[in-house]
Amino acid sequence: LPVKFTILCCFSVNAVTFSPPQIDFGTVFNQSAAKALIEMENHSLLPQRFSFVRLPKELRVSTDAGTGTILPGEKYNLQVEYRPTQLQCSDESFIYCRLMTGEICAREIKIQYYATVSKCPIVSDKRKIEFPALPEKEFAEVVLQLNN
């Protein structure tokens, strides 16, 4: 016998946004680190699993092994840490976040980041601190950068 039924459905997209869309770590001294806070928001009606893949060794994302689940409508704060490995460089690259909705739907989002690495002007050990002679205003700027 034929069975009559009605299917009711609600369509959704797997939309996740990051705020800010780019990360600028600014000037980072070698042998130090810079941190940035980004917010991930799920605009979908479904929970989405995420994972940060192909991370360079300079970057670390504050999740459990770079993975997690974001629920519908949830905002998730992530802390990204940049630790330079080279002495002086200008780094401009991408962080890749892979999103998985269900079993077969997956996509990848690129987040661009910038960092300028420079040699720290102050060298110290247990007994002494060495730094180059600087005018008073420049020295105050270096101290402010070290404190940030």
Side-chain angles (χ1 to χ4, degrees), residues 6 76 84 110 132 137:
T6 303
Y76 195 84
K110 292 191 312 188
K137 289 182 182 178

Side-chain angles (χ1 to χ4, degrees), residues 9 12 22 27 37 44 60 91-92 103-104 113 142 148:
C9 64
S12 180
Q22 299 176 354
T27 301
L37 189 68
S44 172
R60 188 173 310 142
D91 197 3
E92 180 179 325
E103 296 297 320
I104 60 171
Y113 72 89
V142 168
N148 292 335

Side-chain angles (χ1 to χ4, degrees), residues 74-93:
E74 182 182 17
K75 292 183 180 181
Y76 195 84
N77 289 320
L78 297 163
Q79 189 170 4
V80 182
E81 182 179 290
Y82 178 78
R83 258 182 215 283
T85 56
Q86 299 178 3
L87 190 60
Q88 287 184 324
C89 71
S90 184
D91 197 3
E92 180 179 325
S93 192

Side-chain angles (χ1 to χ4, degrees), residues 116-131:
T116 304
V117 181
S118 64
K119 185 176 187 262
C120 184
I122 297 175
V123 179
S124 66
D125 63 11
K126 291 182 181 179
R127 292 182 221 130
K128 65 180 178 178
I129 298 175
E130 294 179 18
F131 54 90

Side-chain angles (χ1 to χ4, degrees), residues 14 16 18 40 42 44 46-53 63 66-72 74 76 97-109:
N14 62 346
V16 171
F18 288 90
M40 179 170 45
N42 184 2
S44 172
L46 297 169
Q48 298 192 47
R49 292 176 292 149
F50 64 89
S51 116
F52 289 91
V53 294
T63 63
T67 63
T69 302
I70 185 166
L71 299 174
E74 182 182 17
Y76 195 84
C97 180
R98 185 170 292 152
L99 300 167
M100 288 143 297
T101 308
E103 296 297 320
I104 60 171
C105 184
R107 69 184 183 108
E108 223 169 64
I109 296 176

